[in-house]
Amino acid sequence: MHIHKPTSLQAKFLSGLAVACLTLGVLFAGGFYIHMRNVLEEEVRDKARLIFTHVDSIQNYVRQVLRPTMYEQLPDTFVIQAMSSSFVSRSVMSRLNNGPDGTIYRRVAIDARNPEYEANERELELIDYFRGHPESGIWRGYKNINGDRYYVMARPVRFVESCMYCHGEPADAPADLVRMYGNRGFGKEQDSIAGVDFVGLSVDGSVGRLQRTILTYFVFFTVGAVIFFSTTNLLFKVLVVNNLKRLTNVFRRNVADAEGSALLRKLEQGDEIEELVEGMEQMGEHLYEARSQLQLYAENLRGMVDQRTQALSREVEARRADVALFVSLLSDMRSSTSRADLWQLALPQICRRFRARRIAYVCTMASQNYFSWPENMGRPELPDDLVGVLTSGACVVLGNKAYIPVESSVGNAEGILCLFWDTDAEANTHDRAVLQALGRQLGTVAENMTAIDSLMRQMNVLQTIVEGITDPLALMDSNCAVLTVNEAARKLTAELTGGRRSDGNLLPLFFGAELDHCPMVDAIKRGTPDLREETLPCGRSFSLSMYPVRAKDGTIGRVVVYVRETTMEKRMMVQVRQSEKMATVGKLTAGLAHEINNPLGVILCYAELLRQNISDPQQGADLDVIVRHTRQAQRVLRDLLNFARPKAAGSGLADACAVAGSVTEVFSVQAMKKGVTLSLQCPSDLPRVRIGLNELEQVLGNLVINALDACPDADGEVLVRISPRSGGMIAIEVADNGPGILPDDMSHVFDPFFSTKETNAGTGLGLTVVYGMITDVGGTVEAGASAELGGALFTVLLPAEDGPETDGAA
C-alpha cells in the first residue's frame, strides 16, 4: 500500500498564508488604487472647473466690454465675432478639442443656429436632466465617448433676459443675425433651459498610468511573497514535516494492528492530533444534518419559486391587459366623433378588463351627464365626499366600489369613473396606481377630443372663407413659405409651372427664388401694402397685391398675397384702342373715296363721249385703256367704301348683367388705382338683350372708360345700373360724378372726332361707335345729366329677348 507523505498540514498552512498575503496585497492595492483614483478625479475636476472659469471669463468680457464697445462704435451693426458671447467662447475654447490630452469642450443647444452645435443624444439626456432637476447647477460623472472613457462635467445654459435680444422673436433680433441664420435659434423663452456647457476630460491615459503603477506594486509584492513563501516553507518543513515523518516511521515500525493502521492513515492525511479526529467525526455528523436540511430547503425553495412564478405570470398578464386597454382607448379616440361615442366604446372594455359587475362615468362639469354599462343600470351612487375625491386626484376604494377621478392634463377634474364589484375582496385586488393612471389617460383623451373638435371647426370656417374666394389667395410667412392657400392659387401655380408644382406659392414665378429680391420682404419692413402689375414671359399679366398682417404684439411676420389676372383686361383695352384707330381709318377712307370717286366718274364719262367721235383705231385703243383703268380704280374705291361703311352689330343674345359684371371687374383695378368707386346695380331674372356679346362688351367698355376719365381722383364714383323698361326694353345706365356735359356740347357728343378730353387723350370715335352699334340693333343711346351723382349720364335702351321684333336697319 502507498503511504502519502504527511504534507497536507504543510499545504494547508501555506495555503492559508498565501490567502492572507494575497488578501493583504489586494487590500493595500485597492486602497492605493482608490487613493490614486480620488487624486485623479480631483485633478480632472479641478481642470474642468478651470475650463468653466475660462468660459465665464470670456463670456463676461464679451458681455461687459466687447459688446458695449461694439454697440458704441457700430450702433447699427451686429458683429457676431465680437458681440455673441456663445460664438466667441466656442471659437476660443473649441481649440481645446484638438489638444493631445483628449479634452472636449462643447456649448450646445436645442435648435442651435450652427448645426455643428446641435445637441446630440448624450447632450439631450443632460438637458432633460437639468429640466427635471432645475435646482441642480452641475452634473458630474463618467461617460464613454467614441470608445474612450471620459470624466464629464456639465452645467445648464439658461436663456436670461439679456439673451432674448438674439434668441427671442426674429423681428426683435438684429437684422444681420436673421440674415445669417434665418429662423434658427429663435423662439426661446426666458429662464428656460435649452442647452448645456459640456466639458469632457479623457481619463484612459491617467487610468492606464494608475493601472501600471498598481501592476508594478503587485509585481514587487508577488516577488516578495514568493521569497517569503520559500523561506516559510523551508522553516515549516524543517520544524514540522520532518518531525511528522519521524513519527510516521515510528508508527510503521511499532504499530501493526487495525487501530494503529487507522491512526497511521489519519496521520498520513495530515490529522495527527486526537482533537482533529473528534472534530472530523462531529463534522461528519454536521454534514449529514446539513445535507438533510439542504434537501428540505431545496423542496421548500422549489415551491416558493413556483408560487412566485405564478404570481409574476399573473402580474405580467395584468400589465399586458392594461397596455392593451390603453392602446384600445387611443384607437377609440381616433374613431370617436364625440365624447358620448368615446364613453360608449370605452366603458365596456374597462369593465371587462377589471372584471367588474358594472361601470359608470359621471361628468362633474356643468352638463352633469352620465354614461353607464350595462346601459340599463341607471345613474350610479356617488361617494359622500365627492369634492374630496375629485380634488385628491387619487383612486378611492369604498367597500366593493372604486371611484377614479378623471383629470385633464392640467389637473382639472372632468368627471368621475365608478367601478362596482360583487365583493369587497374583488375591489381590493386591483392596483390603485393603474386605476389612477387610467383616469388620467381618459381625462387626457377627452380633453384632446374637445381640442381637436374646436380646432377642426375653426379650420373648416377658415378653409370655407379662403376657398370661397375665386381669385388666387395665399397666406405666407416672412421666408416666402406658404402657410395657407386656396384652390385657385394651387390651380394657377400648376398652370404656370406646367404641372410641376401645385403648392400655391406664386411669388417665385414673378420675382425668382432669391428672398432678397422679393418685394414681400420690403412690404413687411415698411408695414404697408404693396400693389403692382407684373407680366410673365409667357405674356400673361397679373395684378399682385401683398397685405402685411400684424400680430397681437404689433410685429409683422405674415403677408396675405392676392393675385388677379389682368390679361383679358389689357387685351380689351388694346381692342378698344384698335377699334378707335380703325374707326378713324374708316372715316378717312370714306372721305377719300368720296373725293376721288367723283373725278373718276367725270373721267369715265368724257372717255365714253370721246369714243363716239374717234375713228382712229389707235386712239380707240388708248381710250379703252383709260376706261379699263378708270373702272379698276372705281372697284378699288367701292371696296374701300364697303370697308368704311358701318356694319350691322353682330346678331345674337347677351346677358346684360353678366356682361356688365365682367366689364366692371375688368376696370376695377383701373378704378382702384385712380381712387374711384366702381359699382354695379342689377336685378335678378332679367331677360337677355338682342345684341352680340362682343358688341355689348365694347359698348359698356367705352361708356365706363369715359366715366372713369371724367371722375376726379381719390373720391370719384361710377355707377352702372341695369333695369327693365316699358315696351320690352332693357335700360343700361352709366353715371359718374365728373363735371358733366356742357349744354353746347350735348348735341355733338356722338359726332365723329368730337372729344372734350385733352389733346391726345382720345380720338372722339368711342361714342360714335357706341351710337352705331346700338342703332344697328334697334336700340337708342342718349346723353344727359345724372341727378343722383351730379355728373354725366348715358342711357342705352336695348330690345329684350321677349320684347317686340325691331328692324335692325332702323
Side-chain angles (χ1 to χ4, degrees):
M1 179 182 65
H2 176 71
I3 300 175
H4 295 283
K5 298 296 182 179
T7 58
S8 59
L9 186 59
Q10 181 182 5
K12 292 178 181 179
F13 175 78
L14 293 178
S15 297
L17 186 61
V19 170
C21 292
L22 182 60
T23 301
L24 186 63
V26 169
L27 290 175
F28 277 106
F32 183 73
Y33 177 79
I34 292 172
H35 172 70
M36 294 299 294
R37 187 180 182 89
N38 291 335
V39 172
L40 175 62
E41 287 186 1
E42 288 294 332
E43 180 182 352
V44 296
R45 188 180 297 115
D46 292 339
K47 186 175 182 180
R49 290 197 188 99
L50 182 61
I51 292 174
F52 278 142
T53 302
H54 288 170
V55 172
D56 293 337
S57 300
I58 293 171
Q59 292 185 348
N60 290 333
Y61 182 77
V62 171
R63 294 180 182 132
Q64 300 173 7
V65 179
L66 280 182
R67 188 182 295 168
T69 303
M70 292 299 292
Y71 274 129
E72 181 180 352
Q73 299 295 328
L74 301 171
D76 298 327
T77 304
F78 185 86
V79 181
I80 192 171
Q81 291 82 357
M83 302 173 72
S84 173
S85 59
S86 298
F87 184 91
V88 174
S89 62
R90 287 194 184 105
S91 300
V92 174
M93 301 306 297
S94 61
R95 302 176 187 272
L96 296 173
N97 298 335
N98 300 323
D101 57 351
T103 302
I104 296 176
Y105 171 77
R106 280 174 59 83
R107 182 180 179 89
V108 298
I110 299 174
D111 189 27
R113 288 201 171 98
N114 190 339
E116 182 180 356
Y117 300 110
E118 184 69 25
N120 56 33
E121 181 178 357
R122 176 176 55 256
E123 293 154 350
L124 288 174
E125 293 177 357
L126 293 173
I127 294 174
D128 291 338
Y129 169 79
F130 288 118
R131 287 178 174 175
H133 304 78
E135 73 284 352
S136 178
I138 200 163
W139 185 92
R140 303 183 186 93
Y142 290 93
K143 286 186 177 293
N144 290 325
I145 302 176
N146 297 326
D148 295 335
R149 185 171 177 83
Y150 279 75
Y151 178 82
V152 173
M153 184 178 290
R155 65 182 183 182
V157 175
R158 298 179 183 271
F159 286 87
V160 296
E161 182 179 1
S162 60
C163 301
M164 293 296 99
Y165 180 58
C166 295
H167 294 279
E169 294 297 329
D172 301 333
D176 294 339
L177 194 63
V178 176
R179 285 194 299 271
M180 183 178 301
Y181 292 106
N183 284 339
R184 291 186 63 87
F186 293 105
K188 308 300 182 181
E189 296 181 1
Q190 185 172 342
D191 297 329
S192 65
I193 298 175
V196 293
D197 273 336
F198 180 95
V199 174
L201 300 171
S202 177
V203 297
D204 281 349
S206 301
V207 172
R209 291 192 300 271
L210 178 61
Q211 291 176 347
R212 288 192 295 271
T213 301
I214 299 302
L215 181 61
T216 302
Y217 169 82
F218 192 80
V219 169
F220 280 102
F221 176 81
T222 303
V223 174
V226 171
I227 297 174
F228 175 76
F229 279 3
S230 300
T231 304
T232 304
N233 185 33
L234 180 61
L235 292 174
F236 187 85
K237 186 174 182 180
V238 172
L239 297 176
V240 178
V241 175
N242 290 339
N243 291 329
L244 288 177
K245 287 182 178 180
R246 289 167 56 192
L247 181 60
T248 303
N249 292 331
V250 171
F251 272 98
R252 286 175 178 166
R253 290 194 302 268
N254 301 319
V255 178
D257 57 1
E259 294 181 0
S261 299
L263 180 59
L264 182 61
R265 286 194 296 273
K266 292 178 181 179
L267 290 175
E268 291 174 350
Q269 296 172 1
D271 196 5
E272 66 274 18
I273 304 173
E274 290 289 338
E275 288 79 6
L276 293 179
V277 176
E278 296 177 359
M280 290 298 296
E281 292 175 352
Q282 295 176 1
M283 182 176 293
E285 295 176 357
H286 176 72
L287 289 176
Y288 178 81
E289 294 177 357
R291 180 180 180 183
S292 301
Q293 293 178 359
L294 184 61
Q295 290 178 348
L296 180 60
Y297 178 79
E299 293 295 332
N300 295 334
L301 182 62
R302 187 179 297 109
M304 294 171 62
V305 169
D306 292 340
Q307 293 177 0
R308 183 57 180 165
T309 301
Q310 293 177 0
L312 290 176
S313 298
R314 289 192 298 269
E315 185 175 354
V316 168
E317 290 297 329
R319 297 292 83 78
R320 186 177 301 161
D322 294 336
V323 172
L325 176 61
F326 288 142
V327 172
S328 179
L329 291 178
L330 292 176
S331 177
D332 292 340
M333 182 191 71
R334 291 194 296 269
S335 60
S336 301
T337 59
S338 64
R339 289 196 174 194
D341 294 341
L342 172 65
W343 293 117
Q344 290 174 359
L345 292 173
L347 290 181
Q349 300 181 58
I350 299 173
C351 188
R352 285 191 290 265
R353 158 63 188 91
F354 295 102
R355 298 184 297 278
R357 175 169 52 85
R358 56 175 293 211
I359 186 172
Y361 169 77
V362 179
C363 179
T364 57
M365 306 296 286
S367 62
Q368 293 293 320
N369 293 332
Y370 74 93
F371 303 91
S372 62
W373 190 84
E375 297 181 357
N376 57 354
M377 299 304 294
R379 186 181 183 89
E381 58 272 18
L382 298 177
D384 297 334
D385 188 17
L386 177 60
V387 176
V389 173
L390 292 175
T391 56
S392 66
C395 174
V396 176
V397 177
L398 301 175
N400 64 337
K401 310 176 189 67
Y403 299 100
I404 307 165
V406 177
E407 298 179 342
S408 63
S409 59
V410 296
N412 296 328
E414 297 278 341
I416 187 167
L417 187 68
C418 309
L419 286 168
F420 302 90
W421 289 270
D422 292 328
T423 62
D424 298 354
E426 289 179 312
N428 288 292
T429 57
H430 299 285
D431 191 347
R432 300 189 183 184
V434 173
L435 294 175
Q436 184 176 350
L438 174 63
R440 293 176 179 173
Q441 180 70 21
L442 290 173
T444 302
V445 170
E447 181 185 24
N448 291 340
M449 287 195 63
T450 302
I452 291 173
D453 182 64
S454 176
L455 180 61
M456 290 301 296
R457 286 198 301 269
Q458 295 178 7
M459 288 296 295
N460 289 335
V461 172
L462 178 61
Q463 190 67 22
T464 301
I465 295 173
V466 173
E467 293 297 339
I469 300 175
T470 57
D471 289 329
L473 186 69
L475 178 63
M476 309 183 70
D477 62 12
S478 57
N479 294 322
C480 286
V482 173
L483 300 178
T484 302
V485 296
N486 62 359
E487 184 63 25
R490 286 190 286 268
K491 289 182 179 179
L492 184 57
T493 305
E495 181 181 345
L496 295 179
T497 60
R500 294 189 303 273
R501 289 195 301 108
S502 60
D503 55 358
N505 190 355
L506 295 167
L507 293 184
L509 301 178
F510 292 104
F511 310 110
E514 295 294 333
L515 186 61
D516 295 338
H517 299 96
C518 182
M520 190 187 76
V521 178
D522 298 333
I524 293 176
K525 293 179 180 178
R526 295 193 311 269
T528 58
D530 187 295
L531 309 177
R532 60 178 63 212
E533 292 280 341
E534 296 292 337
T535 302
L536 296 179
C538 62
R540 298 175 65 175
S541 59
F542 295 87
S543 172
L544 185 62
S545 304
M546 290 168 281
Y547 303 96
V549 179
R550 294 186 180 273
K552 292 182 178 179
D553 57 358
T555 59
I556 299 176
R558 297 181 180 181
V559 175
V560 175
V561 180
Y562 174 72
V563 179
R564 188 178 63 84
E565 186 169 4
T566 59
T567 305
M568 296 305 299
E569 176 185 339
K570 291 187 175 181
R571 290 179 183 175
M572 181 175 291
M573 295 296 295
V574 172
Q575 291 175 359
V576 170
R577 289 193 294 268
Q578 185 66 22
S579 299
E580 292 181 353
K581 292 179 182 179
M582 293 302 295
T584 303
V585 172
K587 191 72 174 181
L588 177 61
T589 301
L592 290 175
H594 182 269
E595 295 299 329
I596 296 174
N597 195 40
N598 289 336
L600 288 177
V602 174
I603 294 172
L604 184 61
C605 178
Y606 277 93
E608 293 293 340
L609 292 174
L610 288 175
R611 186 194 299 276
Q612 296 174 3
N613 298 323
I614 292 177
S615 59
D616 186 1
Q618 181 61 41
Q619 293 179 352
D622 293 338
L623 286 175
D624 291 337
V625 172
I626 292 173
V627 171
R628 183 171 65 252
H629 283 282
T630 301
R631 293 188 182 280
Q632 182 178 356
Q634 285 182 332
R635 286 195 299 271
V636 172
L637 289 174
R638 185 167 54 251
D639 293 339
L640 288 174
L641 287 172
N642 290 335
F643 169 76
R645 184 179 293 115
K647 311 297 188 302
S651 61
L653 298 173
D655 186 346
C657 289
V659 174
S662 176
V663 171
T664 54
E665 181 179 0
V666 167
F667 290 102
S668 60
V669 175
Q670 181 178 345
M672 181 176 62
K673 289 182 177 179
K674 192 176 180 182
V676 175
T677 302
L678 179 58
S679 57
L680 171 65
Q681 295 180 4
C682 185
S684 59
D685 300 329
L686 273 182
R688 293 180 293 179
V689 294
R690 289 198 179 104
I691 190 172
L693 178 63
N694 294 331
E695 286 72 15
L696 183 56
E697 287 181 348
Q698 187 173 353
V699 169
L700 283 172
N702 282 330
L703 295 177
V704 172
I705 288 174
N706 288 340
L708 290 174
D709 292 339
C711 286
D713 294 344
D715 59 348
E717 185 175 357
V718 175
L719 172 63
V720 179
R721 180 187 290 118
I722 302 175
S723 60
R725 295 290 178 89
S726 61
M729 303 296 284
I730 300 297
I732 302 176
E733 297 175 311
V734 178
D736 60 68
N737 64 341
I741 305 173
L742 296 176
D744 294 340
D745 297 335
M746 191 67 70
S747 60
H748 302 289
V749 293
F750 298 109
D751 291 345
F753 303 104
F754 177 82
S755 177
T756 60
K757 299 179 183 179
E758 298 178 359
T759 304
N760 298 327
T763 62
L765 292 174
L767 292 178
T768 303
V769 172
V770 171
Y771 184 84
M773 289 183 175
I774 297 301
T775 56
D776 283 344
V777 297
T780 61
V781 55
E782 296 178 354
S786 173
E788 182 177 356
L789 299 181
L793 171 64
F794 286 86
T795 304
V796 176
L797 294 178
L798 291 172
E801 177 183 7
D802 53 357
E805 295 290 340
T806 58
D807 186 5

